[in-house]
Amino acid sequence: MSESSRDTAEGAGWGASQLGQYKGLMPAEVEKISWLNPQLLWAARNGVVASWFGDPTGRTRSRWVAQRAAAGAPADKVIRRADPERFSFMVIGDTGEGDDPQYAVVPGFLKVSQDTRFAVLASDVIYPVGSADDYGTKFFRPYQDYPAPIYAIPGNHDWYEDLGGFMRVFCDDAPPLDPEPAPRPLTKSWLRSLLWHRPNPADGQRLDRARQLRSAAAQRAVQPGPYWAVDAGPLRIIGIDTGLLGTLDAEQGAWLREVSRGPRPKILITGSPLYVDGEHHPCPIDGGGTVDAIVRDPEHHFVASIGGDIHNYQRYPVQVDGRTLQYVVSGGGGAFMHATHTIPRVSVADVHEKDFRCYPLRGDSLAFYSRLYGRRLHLRRFFTLTEAEATAVIAERLGIPPTRTPGQPARVTWRTRLVAGLLGAGGRPDRTSRFRLPVRKIYTQLFSPGSATYSPPFFKCFLRLDVTPEAVRLRCYAATGNLAQELDPPVEDEVIIPLTAGLT
């Protein structure tokens, strides 16, 4: 087994001299996405518009679901597979930027996924706005050699063009919805319609050609809609659609309660993680209740919740009624890396720092961002921290031992402390003021790198889950863009999740 980032700096991808061979998989021309581009931000405005003038995704989703039901999709939205009691599947989240970080994941993903029965894409299949014509380079091409079906749940970016591209690709080439009646003038709905981004009428002309890249019968997966359940072996996997603003409409909430009943062990796949960055986000359901209340109900027999949207890996083992629920963030499948160094010392739901896992390690995240903004601000000598310096200052700020012992002792200086503070590094909860929390969030958003601005190590990740009647073995694998981790993807985290009621 290869060294991971918890073992050595080399295992994290630092100091590598040889890039991976993933570039041979990429198209000749690659769209470079920068989230500092005003034109791109304007195209992706629907989330902001929905928060100001009302979120229409619940109504639109209901129309998609009704269309699929009329076309013969099962009423309970359950995909019943013929998998054996022992099988494996993959989970990968927030993939579709179509650039180096996404393609750098592919060789390791294909290597680790050998003999798996299917894969699940958890959130944001296509950036920036879910256009149908982007599926060629951002879905069909990178995963053309994965031989099994791929199911997906949409993220907020897939909703920026009303989910049309997603429904065409994953839901049996669903036709566009009929236009809705024009809203009354001078209402919120009318203002929203004036500002709403809509797909180009010509979008999707390249889709039929792109489908040929994954045209084998064994690769075909038809979903009953944007939310679904898969019965596979002893397990039920439930995928929910949290839309633009991270909530569930009442209709989907009622379905989730119904499909969660019964003794079969369950794993939730969601576009909005329930625990993330040291905080609890239970995910409200229109009309009352939360997704997490459904997950926690012992009558529903959930054993884990896996969420995308946040572009890194995190795991929170939460004790609920004498059993352990694993709450996982897994959105590191291709899009830019969200910082982990901004996560404060963890203390939530009786999960503490010793129980918490994340990838990249906070020190690696801080070192990565210091290099990035040293270049961006033309202050490399001041901003750039070595991985050892970053690891040491994170340990000091959190009051914990270094997650990875540096090869050479690193002294924490005023400069390293200042850079860590400027880049929003987390601290201890008892030393975090009300001012510090919003500042960390601002830095996380402001300093999110676009794909045009950084190079390996990328700190990407994906999951493999091995299922038996007794347990699920979940492993998080790393992809850095370097050849060493491409040839032998390191395991960054591993946990055994019992499927027998009452065990922890």
Side-chain angles (χ1 to χ4, degrees):
M1 183 180 295
S2 61
E3 292 182 329
S4 75
S5 67
R6 290 181 171 270
D7 299 317
T8 65
E10 292 75 18
W14 296 115
S17 59
Q18 195 169 1
L19 290 178
Q21 299 173 348
Y22 66 88
K23 283 186 174 290
L25 305 173
M26 298 176 66
E29 295 185 7
V30 175
E31 175 190 13
K32 291 293 186 181
I33 292 177
S34 172
W35 294 104
L36 301 178
N37 182 338
Q39 185 177 0
L40 185 151
L41 291 174
W42 177 244
R45 64 188 179 271
N46 283 359
V48 175
V49 174
S51 67
W52 288 350
F53 301 111
D55 183 3
T57 56
R59 185 174 65 252
T60 305
R61 184 187 296 115
S62 293
R63 296 175 67 210
W64 281 121
V65 169
Q67 183 200 82
R68 293 291 296 131
D76 60 4
K77 303 171 186 61
V78 177
I79 303 165
R80 293 174 172 85
R81 295 177 49 86
D83 298 304
E85 287 193 330
R86 298 175 184 272
F87 74 98
S88 302
F89 69 102
M90 304 295 289
V91 175
I92 184 169
D94 297 81
T95 53
E97 285 196 350
D99 52 11
D100 286 59
Q102 179 178 8
Y103 279 86
V105 176
V106 173
F109 177 86
L110 293 176
K111 185 181 182 70
V112 171
S113 67
Q114 292 178 19
D115 78 3
T116 57
R117 307 281 294 196
F118 58 89
V120 177
L121 289 184
S123 181
D124 289 340
V125 181
I126 299 295
Y127 293 95
V129 295
S131 299
D133 276 335
D134 283 342
Y135 273 83
T137 57
K138 299 176 182 181
F139 174 72
F140 288 107
R141 185 184 183 108
Y143 310 118
Q144 61 183 312
D145 292 326
Y146 180 65
I150 298 177
Y151 305 101
I153 57 165
N156 57 311
H157 287 268
D158 301 304
W159 268 102
Y160 287 162
E161 292 193 346
D162 294 329
L163 210 63
F166 182 96
M167 295 298 292
R168 288 187 65 180
V169 170
F170 293 103
C171 298
D172 205 23
D173 207 15
L177 294 173
D178 294 330
E180 288 194 287
R184 288 188 298 110
L186 303 179
T187 62
K188 275 191 170 185
S189 298
W190 179 76
L191 291 170
R192 183 180 64 225
S193 71
L194 294 179
L195 293 171
W196 200 252
H197 170 80
R198 292 177 176 83
N200 186 322
D203 184 47
Q205 292 183 353
R206 300 192 296 270
L207 191 54
D208 287 341
R209 183 177 179 182
R211 291 181 197 274
Q212 299 305 309
L213 296 172
R214 279 186 54 84
S215 59
Q219 294 175 310
R220 182 171 171 77
V222 176
Q223 299 179 190
Y227 56 92
W228 42 261
V230 170
D231 283 349
L235 195 64
R236 172 166 284 186
I237 303 156
I238 299 176
I240 60 173
D241 170 17
T242 55
L244 281 173
L245 302 182
T247 63
L248 260 62
D249 60 277
E251 179 182 334
Q252 185 181 181
W255 169 85
L256 177 60
R257 292 184 178 95
E258 180 64 30
V259 82
S260 297
R261 292 176 180 168
R264 192 171 195 154
K266 300 171 186 73
I267 292 178
L268 182 75
I269 307 289
T270 172
S272 299
L274 302 178
Y275 282 86
V276 61
D277 295 345
E279 300 173 347
H280 182 211
H281 298 269
C283 188
I285 300 173
D286 291 350
T290 67
V291 170
D292 196 33
I294 296 173
V295 169
R296 287 169 173 260
D297 189 328
E299 296 298 317
H300 294 156
H301 298 276
F302 279 91
V303 296
S305 171
I306 301 173
D309 189 52
I310 303 302
H311 308 164
N312 53 47
Y313 173 82
Q314 302 173 43
R315 181 169 62 83
Y316 302 81
V318 177
Q319 297 294 318
V320 179
D321 297 326
R323 58 202 171 97
T324 303
L325 284 175
Q326 298 291 342
Y327 290 89
V328 176
V329 178
S330 184
F336 70 85
M337 184 264 283
H338 276 135
T340 57
H341 67 266
T342 58
I343 303 172
R345 179 166 172 161
V346 170
S347 180
V348 59
D350 277 336
V351 177
H352 301 288
E353 191 64 33
K354 63 182 177 59
D355 313 306
F356 170 70
R357 294 291 182 272
C358 70
Y359 176 80
L361 299 179
R362 292 182 179 96
D364 289 331
S365 170
L366 179 59
F368 171 92
Y369 271 80
S370 75
R371 286 161 167 77
L372 174 66
Y373 285 93
R375 293 195 302 270
R376 180 169 289 178
L377 301 176
H378 304 289
L379 294 170
R380 295 191 187 197
R381 292 187 63 182
F382 174 76
F383 256 96
T384 301
L385 303 180
T386 67
E387 56 82 21
E389 289 174 325
T391 297
V393 73
I394 287 292
E396 179 186 85
R397 291 178 70 90
L398 297 181
I400 61 173
T403 311
R404 179 180 65 235
T405 303
Q408 296 293 329
R411 189 165 60 94
V412 178
T413 66
W414 70 268
R415 182 184 71 88
T416 56
R417 293 188 181 102
L418 179 58
V419 170
L422 289 173
L423 293 178
R428 308 182 200 183
D430 59 346
R431 297 185 182 180
T432 302
S433 70
R434 294 179 181 178
F435 172 75
R436 286 292 305 152
L437 285 172
V439 166
R440 267 195 294 108
K441 293 180 179 179
I442 290 171
Y443 274 112
T444 301
Q445 296 170 7
L446 179 63
F447 287 170
S448 293
S451 62
T453 60
Y454 69 118
S455 56
F458 295 131
F459 297 111
K460 301 288 93 186
C461 60
F462 55 90
L463 307 181
R464 175 177 169 128
L465 292 89
D466 302 306
V467 182
T468 71
E470 296 77 31
V472 175
R473 180 190 189 193
L474 182 152
R475 285 175 287 178
C476 172
Y477 287 87
T480 67
N482 293 320
L483 184 62
Q485 288 81 34
E486 187 175 281
L487 295 175
D488 190 7
V491 176
E492 290 292 337
D493 187 34
E494 179 173 348
V495 62
I496 303 297
I497 306 172
L499 297 186
T500 307
L503 295 182
T504 56

